[in-house]
Amino acid sequence: MAPNGVSDRSARLPRLIMIRILLLVAMQATLFPGTAFAQLAWDTFSPAQQTYPTATVTIDENMAATTTVLTITTTGATGTVTYSIASSTTAAFTIGASTGVITVNDASLLDREAISFIDLVLQAVDTSPATVSTTVRIDLKDVNEIAPTFSSTSTYSVTISESATVGTTIQALTVTDTDSAATNVACTISSGDPDGKFQFRSDNQTIELKAAIEPDSPTNNSLTYTLTIVCYDNFNGVYSGGSLASTGTVSVSVTPVNDNSPTWGTFTPALATPITTIDENLASGTIFTAAASDVDYGTDGVVTFSFSTVKFNTGADASALFTIGSSSGVVSRTAATTPALDRETYSHVEFVVLAMDSPTVTADRLTITQTVQVNLKDVNEFTPVFDPSTGLYNVSFSE
Ligand SMILES: [Ca+2]
Ligand SMILES: [Ca+2]
Ligand SMILES: [Ca+2]
Ligand SMILES: [Ca+2]
């Protein structure tokens, strides 16, 4: 009571207001449990995040700057809400203070090959002020952005023998994919093998000989192959976006092998015994022509002719009387006059003709021989003569 007798209403009024407020709060709590005072809280984010730390928001690596990653919102705020990134593994993201929209700040920091996730501590503050915070993990999804890489060089040079067998290793490549998901790499021969001589083994990185080289074949006599190799990643289908490819070159040089002897062809005249008959005392001209061939590649298949021996039937040497063309095989009479080509002394001449190929290495030469007989024909070279020893001829006749 106030000293002037008037009740002190001014002193009681705040107390009544406080009591009424407390009653309202109590009624609200009774009638609407759990929704008491509206207070600042996180609302559902967009896209909805999973429960941390099991999983969170997943985005592609290298996502471009300004791309929206996540929008965060609150409920129960008093006044305006200010959003912020309280802390972060990197400065890859930024947030709109009033919008709560998190966008990419620096795409270079979203490299899956360097980092797999980024944790953001997000904060919202209203004007009451009340503060809420939460942690969101941004998982980076690997993107197939790196083509396969050759380990040291993408240009190979290999030398193999003509006689290399099917299955021989030509070149083992080491080609890898350095994308984070490390996909399998498969290589193929895209060009340079028109005859199908090479193939990749099942490991997809080792080239082997698929078919014999056969440079001696008239239809396939190449000694060099330049194989274009294309290596694809994502062979195991990790990425839905297809494959990236890198190209290499494998140059294969074939060293020829002299693996074929010469073989005799058709002589002129045709081989027989004798092959021909010549007049004794023949002074010049062609006697016969030898023929041979060799299927080897290059000089391995070049044939030259020579005489192994030329003898009379008595065994006497007759080589001075004849010559043979090294490449033509033409056997001719030389101008030599001795020994005499005399039918009265010899019945025939026996030639042992030698054909030889011409590989670079002399020791690799292959030879064949053929014996050819040429008969001598007697020539009527002597005029009949009287025997002077008799001196007297008696002739008688009748009348
Ligand atoms: Ca990648
Ligand atoms: Ca890749
Ligand atoms: Ca040969
Ligand atoms: Ca050969």
Side-chain angles (χ1 to χ4, degrees):
M1 187 69 66
N4 57 6
V6 178
S7 63
D8 188 359
R9 291 176 61 91
S10 61
R12 287 187 294 164
L13 194 58
R15 198 179 308 145
L16 287 171
I17 292 172
M18 183 63 70
I19 291 170
R20 285 177 180 171
I21 290 172
L22 289 173
L23 284 172
L24 282 171
V25 169
M27 287 173 63
Q28 191 173 29
T30 304
L31 294 173
F32 307 104
T35 60
F37 275 124
Q39 56 186 18
L40 187 64
W42 292 116
D43 200 353
T44 303
F45 293 168
S46 175
Q49 66 176 121
Q50 306 298 311
T51 304
Y52 175 80
T54 305
T56 60
V57 177
T58 300
I59 64 170
D60 284 347
E61 63 168 324
N62 310 326
M63 190 168 269
T66 74
T67 303
T68 296
V69 173
L70 179 67
T71 301
I72 59 174
T73 52
T74 54
T75 60
T78 300
T80 58
V81 177
T82 302
Y83 299 96
S84 64
I85 298 173
S87 68
S88 170
T89 313
T90 74
F93 303 102
T94 188
I95 189 169
S98 60
T99 62
V101 176
I102 299 171
T103 56
V104 175
N105 176 51
D106 184 348
S108 71
L109 297 175
L110 301 180
D111 179 11
R112 180 61 183 80
E113 279 65 51
I115 192 171
S116 60
F117 65 87
I118 297 167
D119 282 342
L120 305 176
V121 176
L122 304 174
Q123 200 168 70
V125 181
D126 67 9
T127 51
S128 59
T131 301
V132 288
S133 62
T134 188
T135 302
V136 171
R137 174 162 291 186
I138 311 292
D139 268 335
L140 296 183
K141 183 181 174 187
D142 190 25
V143 170
N144 187 19
E145 68 202 302
I146 305 169
T149 307
F150 288 86
S151 62
S152 54
T153 177
S154 60
T155 304
Y156 301 84
S157 294
V158 185
T159 299
I160 63 168
S161 168
E162 170 195 337
S163 59
T165 55
V166 170
T168 296
T169 298
I170 303 300
Q171 180 68 53
L173 311 176
T174 303
V175 189
T176 53
D177 184 4
T178 55
D179 267 307
S180 177
T183 63
N184 290 350
V185 173
C187 300
T188 59
I189 298 169
S190 68
S191 67
D193 185 24
D195 303 313
K197 299 295 184 185
F198 307 95
Q199 66 182 3
F200 274 94
R201 289 187 183 141
S202 57
D203 67 0
N204 295 314
Q205 297 216 0
T206 304
I207 303 173
E208 67 176 8
L209 193 62
K210 180 183 180 184
I213 291 293
E214 295 178 349
D216 305 329
S217 164
T219 58
N220 176 29
N221 56 6
S222 177
L223 287 182
T224 59
Y225 296 84
T226 302
L227 309 177
T228 300
I229 308 300
V230 181
C231 296
Y232 300 91
D233 65 10
N234 199 24
F235 194 60
N236 49 353
V238 168
Y239 302 108
S240 58
S243 301
L244 299 175
S246 294
T247 302
T249 302
V250 176
S251 298
V252 181
S253 296
V254 179
T255 303
V257 175
N258 186 27
D259 51 355
N260 294 280
S261 292
T263 54
W264 292 114
T266 302
F267 282 42
T268 305
L271 277 170
T273 304
I275 190 171
T276 189
T277 298
I278 60 173
D279 289 347
E280 62 170 329
N281 303 328
L282 180 73
S284 64
T286 297
I287 313 299
F288 67 92
T289 301
S293 60
D294 187 321
V295 298
D296 272 314
Y297 183 91
T299 58
D300 291 346
V302 174
V303 177
T304 61
F305 299 96
S306 60
F307 291 136
S308 180
T309 59
V310 184
K311 294 180 177 178
F312 290 112
N313 55 290
T314 62
D317 180 34
S319 60
L321 302 180
F322 303 95
T323 186
I324 185 167
S326 173
S327 57
S328 68
V330 174
V331 176
S332 307
R333 175 73 167 89
T334 69
T337 55
T338 57
L341 193 59
D342 181 12
R343 176 62 182 85
E344 279 63 47
T345 309
Y346 314 112
S347 63
H348 63 268
V349 182
E350 187 176 280
F351 300 80
V352 177
V353 180
L354 183 145
M356 179 172 66
D357 55 19
S358 314
T360 306
V361 179
T362 305
D364 293 341
R365 287 176 177 170
L366 299 173
T367 60
I368 54 173
T369 57
Q370 174 67 50
T371 300
V372 179
Q373 180 176 322
V374 174
N375 284 0
L376 298 183
K377 181 180 177 184
D378 194 16
V379 173
N380 186 14
E381 57 194 327
F382 299 108
T383 305
V385 294
F386 291 101
D387 184 352
S389 61
T390 59
L392 176 66
Y393 297 90
N394 293 314
V395 179
S396 63
F397 55 87
S398 61
E399 294 183 272

